[in-house]
Amino acid sequence: MASSDHPDIDLTTHCDCGAVMLAAKGRVVSMFQCACENCQRVSGSGHSSVALLPAGAVSVTGETKSYARPADSGAIFTRHFCPGCGTTLLAQSSRAAELRILPVGLFAGHNDWFSPNQLIFARSQQQWDLIADHLPRHDAYRDASRK
């Protein structure tokens, strides 16, 4: 049985227009919030809330488009989204090719398992974006030993 730090999930969801389905089944590797400027632009908010799962635990059905960009780490960061409605479905980083990054809001109404344990890119956090005070903050990427 999974702990609350690493819950097992078995969820299916879809993009806003319903053209792309995403299934996530397996143990969550990590849960955190990111206040980098890219996440602010993509989310339309002050941060993103994400869960990491092994690549094999995530499947996508339907046509997607992707956008790849260099990240601050020098890695390539790729977001996959619905070409019809633009909903971000998942992302991946060349720093951790074996993982998929899922926006937790994609599972609206079925994401009460989410419990972030840190904020990364706190240096970009907006004062108006209220993040729980108890979360450890990292100015950039988190320490690789913390998941």
Side-chain angles (χ1 to χ4, degrees):
M1 176 163 210
S3 72
S4 61
D5 290 343
H6 301 280
D8 283 316
I9 61 172
D10 186 357
L11 299 168
T12 303
T13 191
H14 55 82
C15 64
D16 199 32
C17 71
V20 183
M21 302 294 290
L22 182 138
K25 182 176 182 173
R27 178 152 305 174
V28 174
V29 174
S30 185
M31 298 177 277
F32 58 90
Q33 294 177 312
C34 178
C36 77
E37 290 179 356
N38 184 263
C39 281
Q40 290 180 42
R41 277 190 290 278
V42 171
S43 71
S45 179
H47 68 277
S48 62
S49 296
V50 300
L52 303 182
L53 271 81
V58 179
S59 64
V60 176
T61 305
E63 179 187 354
T64 63
K65 295 244 179 188
S66 63
Y67 176 73
R69 65 170 180 81
D72 285 347
S73 67
I76 301 299
F77 191 83
T78 306
R79 289 192 193 275
H80 301 271
F81 55 93
C82 173
C85 65
T87 301
T88 297
L89 299 156
L90 62 104
Q92 62 194 79
S93 171
S94 63
R95 298 176 70 207
E98 73 284 2
L99 297 174
R100 295 299 177 263
I101 303 162
L102 303 179
V104 177
L106 192 61
F107 301 101
H110 304 281
N111 52 14
D112 57 351
W113 49 268
F114 181 71
S115 180
N117 67 356
Q118 58 195 304
L119 172 68
I120 63 172
F121 285 91
R123 70 182 184 208
S124 311
Q125 182 185 1
Q126 302 299 316
Q127 290 182 358
W128 49 261
D129 185 36
L130 304 178
I131 303 281
D133 290 336
H134 72 279
L135 288 180
R137 284 157 166 68
H138 305 280
D139 282 342
Y141 288 103
R142 68 181 193 257
D143 179 348
S145 67
R146 292 206 60 188
K147 291 190 177 187

